[in-house]
Amino acid sequence: VLSALGIFVTASAFASMSSDTNMYSMMGSNNMGSMTQMCQTMMNSVPEDVIIKATGQVAKVGKESKITLLVLDKKTNKPLANADVVLHIEEGAPMASMNKMTMMDMMERMSKAENIGSGKYLVKFTPTDKGYYTMHTHVIPAGKSMMSMMNNHMDIGIIAK
């Protein structure tokens, strides 16, 4: 139903790392098996602490697009005004480029959404080609550690025309 409107959203969250998984070795590793497994688990999960709603996911090639994210506390349903929202946009479907990069590569390409108040965050994006893009969106609620972004992830589809 939403695909007819050009809006695609896939809820997901990074898998909680088990104590026997060394995250640091995975981040710099070219061992795609462990990273791919973690990301596949992530794709089948929903954010733990937040609800993420997006608007503006249809973009024009070569023109700056603005995508607004509304981040809500999952327990209270109230806007999270002081969260950190970090993201990475890749061309193609989720995980399409995973075999070409390590976790560190992905983290180096992450940027921060602009907090515009009232639980809203602004993402500016200029697509270079027509097609589908995936915005890997991570939220770190105020007062939570950076690792909480692993449990608060959602992939958001962007259509470039």
Side-chain angles (χ1 to χ4, degrees), residues 57-154:
Q57 297 118 279
V58 178
K60 283 190 170 184
V61 173
K63 298 205 179 213
E64 183 178 75
S65 299
K66 294 180 181 180
I67 300 165
T68 303
L69 304 173
L70 174 62
V71 180
L72 304 171
D73 182 291
K74 198 170 197 175
K75 290 179 185 168
T76 67
N77 214 28
K78 292 184 179 178
L80 286 180
N82 295 314
D84 284 321
V85 179
V86 292
L87 53 105
H88 165 73
I89 299 175
E90 70 173 313
E91 192 170 359
M95 296 178 56
S97 64
M98 292 303 286
N99 62 349
K100 300 175 189 169
M101 68 175 78
T102 66
M103 181 67 86
M104 282 303 278
D105 292 334
M106 184 183 287
M107 291 183 76
E108 287 173 358
R109 296 176 186 172
M110 292 187 124
S111 59
K112 192 172 179 180
E114 178 185 350
N115 185 340
I116 56 174
S118 302
K120 292 182 181 178
Y121 299 83
L122 184 65
V123 177
K124 295 177 183 176
F125 169 63
T126 304
T128 55
D129 295 306
K130 289 182 180 181
Y132 185 84
Y133 290 79
T134 300
M135 181 169 62
H136 301 281
T137 309
H138 303 267
V139 177
I140 306 168
K144 296 259 186 170
S145 76
M146 184 176 174
M147 290 304 294
S148 68
M149 72 185 268
M150 306 299 244
N151 299 320
N152 294 299
H153 171 273
M154 188 168 90

Side-chain angles (χ1 to χ4, degrees), residues 2-17:
L2 290 177
S3 63
L5 299 173
I7 300 171
F8 301 89
V9 178
T10 303
S12 55
F14 274 110
S16 297
M17 300 253 184

